[in-house]
Amino acid sequence: MIFRGGGIRISEWERNELAKFDNIRYFFQPKAWADGVFCVWWLKKFSKDIRKHIPLDKEVMLGLDRLPAQTTAYFLKTCAELNIIPVYTPPDCTDAVAPIDHHLGAQLKRLMQGCYKEAVENFRSASTSQSQRRVMMAGRLSGAWKSMTLCKNTKS
């Protein structure tokens, strides 16, 4: 989850509340968008995570959806340095081949929307701070993700 801002002035309360959601990650970015700097930073973080399971001398394939920030020379150079092979979906066929946008991601968004519709009235009727909104949004994401992954470790 990418929040708008630098994350510099968030309160201790907000940090503690966000830390409770151990099944999601959150980031701050000035425009809440995955720009070039963010994408390279995320790529390095992804590499660090994946290298806990796959040695650096082994290639890793990473599926991407042609976000312009993930196609720059700097991004590709970083991929090569990290032994990550970027594999891009074909153009104009997101609905057919992008599991995040139209399959798993769409289901996750639907689950979050159910909670959001209920909470939106609270936003309008009460003075809710940006910190409270971020915590509520993270909570909805955490709950939705939890409901999607409940069955992943069960045996048939």
Side-chain angles (χ1 to χ4, degrees):
M1 175 172 273
I2 303 174
F3 295 122
R4 186 179 52 163
I8 297 168
R9 294 183 294 222
I10 67 170
S11 68
E12 186 175 339
W13 172 83
E14 184 176 358
R15 267 188 226 291
N16 291 336
E17 290 300 307
L18 290 172
K20 291 177 183 177
F21 307 118
D22 61 355
N23 64 337
I24 65 167
R25 291 185 178 178
Y26 67 90
F27 309 98
F28 285 89
Q29 199 278 342
K31 294 184 179 179
W33 180 251
D35 62 9
V37 172
F38 181 88
C39 285
V40 170
W41 175 85
W42 180 88
L43 180 66
K44 290 176 182 178
K45 190 158 186 53
F46 167 79
S47 178
K48 185 178 176 182
D49 288 344
I50 203 75
R51 295 307 176 186
K52 293 174 186 172
H53 308 285
I54 300 170
L56 185 58
D57 65 330
K58 301 287 185 190
E59 293 175 330
V60 170
M61 182 176 79
L62 176 61
L64 301 164
D65 66 357
R66 296 188 181 271
L67 178 70
Q70 296 172 341
T71 62
T72 65
Y74 183 52
F75 186 87
L76 295 173
K77 178 179 177 274
T78 306
C79 283
E81 290 168 357
L82 299 171
N83 208 11
I84 295 172
I85 300 169
V87 177
Y88 297 96
T89 58
D92 303 320
C93 66
T94 300
D95 58 334
V97 299
I100 295 303
D101 290 347
H102 288 277
H103 303 290
L104 294 173
Q107 177 63 21
L108 186 65
K109 289 176 187 177
R110 277 192 294 277
L111 289 168
M112 287 181 71
Q113 275 181 329
C115 298
Y116 178 76
K117 287 178 182 178
E118 182 180 315
V120 86
E121 289 306 315
N122 294 335
F123 288 157
R124 292 185 181 146
S125 63
S127 59
T128 308
S129 71
Q130 288 292 327
S131 292
Q132 291 168 319
R133 289 180 190 161
R134 285 190 293 262
V135 169
M136 289 171 68
M137 183 67 85
R140 288 192 294 275
L141 175 59
S142 176
W145 183 248
K146 196 175 292 181
S147 73
M148 287 182 68
T149 58
L150 280 176
C151 298
K152 77 176 187 175
N153 293 322
T154 61
K155 295 180 182 179
S156 310

